[in-house]
Amino acid sequence: MAAKTENQRAWFFVIPVILLVAFNAIVPLMTVVNYSVQETFGNNQFFWSGVTWFEETLKSERFQAALGRQLLFTAIILAIEIPLGIAIALSMPRSGPWVSVCLVLMSLPLLIPWNVVGSMWNIFALPDIGLLGYTLNAMGFNYDYTQQPLAAWATLIAMDVWHWTSLVVLLSYAGLISIPDAYYQAAKIDGAGKWAVFRHIQLPKMKRVLTIAILLRFMDSFMIYTEPFVLTGGGPGNATTFLSIDLVKKALGEFDLGPAAAMSLIYFLITLLVSWLFYTVMMRNEGEES
Amino acid sequence: MARITLDNLRHSYLPNPKSDEDYALQQIDLEWQDGGAYALLGPSGCGKSTLLNIISGLIEPTQGRILFGDVDVTNVPPAARNIAQVFQFPVIYDTMTVYDNLAFPLRNRGVGKAQVDARVREIAEMIDMTDMLNRRAANLTPDNKQKISMGRGLVRDDVNVIMFDEPLTVIDPHLKWKLRSKLRELHERINLTMIYVTHDQTEALTFADQVVVMDEGVVVQIGTPVELFERPTHTFVGHFIGSPGMNLLPCEVREGQAFFHDSHVPVEGGKTSAAGSRLEIGVRPEFVSFASEGLSVDVVKITDAGRHRIVETRAGDTAIKLFVDDGMSIPEGTAHLAFDQNRTRVYADGWLAEESR
Ligand SMILES: Nc1ncnc2c1ncn2[C@@H]1O[C@H](COP(=O)(O)OP(=O)(O)O)[C@@H](O)[C@H]1O
Ligand SMILES: [Mg+2]
């Protein structure tokens, strides 16, 4: 064979992408890194401060509380949305005219923008005039999400479940309908019960899409901002002040750029680390050589 | 284990079948003897899978009964029928090891641990997978996966029949032959009724003692490979089996004698009772030869097929093919053909006239 021709022209084609990524991800990230290691007293004068902000942030009770609330919130919505999504996907028809009806119904919540969802539920759950709030109070429950932390949490969780369970349903359903009929037929002949079919056929075939669903829901709920901002503004008190709300308060409300930048980076690293850990664990048995 | 009887079976996938066209299975009356090695042969879409799924209970027939021995099992669910079925594409339980895959049908039926172990090891031995028992099944090659599917069919010792629905479709050609002879060998060893579905005549003829040929939802002939070759009872069998298939010559019948283009063609038994709207003389290329006199034809094309040549001739619009051994000369231009009388028969509307349906 002739010697491989070497030229650098390929770079030419890659450059636009590199520039794009640089401008919308790397450059902003680096500004944040820059802020996170400096101190300023105004006048655009900055002083090197090393890892002070990181230490301070990690030690602060305020950050720890927000992180705790964040983790709890994400854990709760994952624990509800994933099983519920699978259950709904399992009960959807596999063929026939109802399939498209179900799919459209399921897609509807996903099409509504975050802030609209927040406003909708804000009004829907108002204790005096909202349909949900009024009904609950009329039924004898003392419910007011603007005053009671528990009610605020319940409302936020209900809202997130309503908004995002569909995503899990659609992904699980895509996994389910890709299972050939022969699997179900073989299972029948092998005498497998409903549970065994779920455990050994449906769940393994859904594993990849479920991994994606969990990752998406984890990242999205971990970074939740708009809905609690619109619904509760982080209250009552600090009850629903999750990480991103806290961050915005700090960065824009108090203009503490250094600590806010340090917090962003910690936040970013936690998200990245959990996602990576989870993905690695889920995929550890895939792709062994045959 | 038992004889399997299909009695007056019809099946349609439509809820309210009206005409014959609505039926995937037209009318099936069949008996599968205990311990037989059967092939179910027919083109794609003729209803082979439908028939298998009815025997296994995955589909309930629109009409008719299925008997295992003397017991009517028409309404018995698949798990209670004691049958095993292997599908076209390998079905394996991804999360389990090969061992657990093979043990699965037994464990679901509450078989004891020691017995499961003994059976699994025995079957693994039969399908040459002993050294893979602890591997995860998901990562095996397609042919090994299909061997596991077969193994799961074989693992129960109480099955009435084991059915294979085109099991070698996804297997590499050089492994196909190996797996098929393995199956054949297993049949001799365990003496279980086996039904092997295929649309490939070579597979059917090499696997089975009895071949059931289907076309458009009807069983057209049941016979040994030799019978199908020498005495097709339907023009479809003549055409589908053999390569090239049987020659068909439109004919007239006058007083029990067949005439093609006004020349008399002597047929098996000297006389035919054929009557119908479409009459044809059927004779395989193997039983046609050049002669000094008889039907005159034009030689059109010669194809070399290894040990012999296939010569295509033409009489009017009708093509007639014949085999000529190497070394024999082939006339050019116009020639005459002779038919082996004992292998030349008249078919009325597709069916062999001398055979009652
Ligand atoms: N689930 C089904 N629903 C409707 N029609 C079907 C279904 N399965 C098979 N058929 C039809 O029944 C006929 C026989 O199919 P099948 O038994 O699968 O044939 P084969 O296995 O011989 O290829 C075909 O015309 C096919 O289109
Ligand atoms: Mg088929």
Side-chain angles (χ1 to χ4, degrees), chain A residues 185 189-190 200 205 290, chain B residues 87 93-94 108-109 139 152:
Chain A
Q185 299 178 332
I189 286 166
D190 289 340
H200 297 298
K205 293 280 176 205
S290 43
Chain B
F87 298 88
Y93 302 105
D94 285 342
N108 283 330
R109 289 175 170 76
N139 303 320
R152 275 208 321 276

Side-chain angles (χ1 to χ4, degrees), chain B residues 199-234:
Chain B
H199 61 257
D200 177 337
Q201 51 165 313
T202 329
E203 276 193 11
L205 301 182
T206 48
F207 174 80
D209 300 329
Q210 289 279 314
V211 181
V212 178
V213 186
M214 279 183 74
D215 183 34
E216 295 184 347
V218 183
V219 171
V220 285
Q221 186 167 4
I222 305 168
T224 63
V226 173
E227 283 166 353
L228 296 183
F229 180 77
E230 296 203 332
R231 194 181 164 79
T233 55
H234 191 276

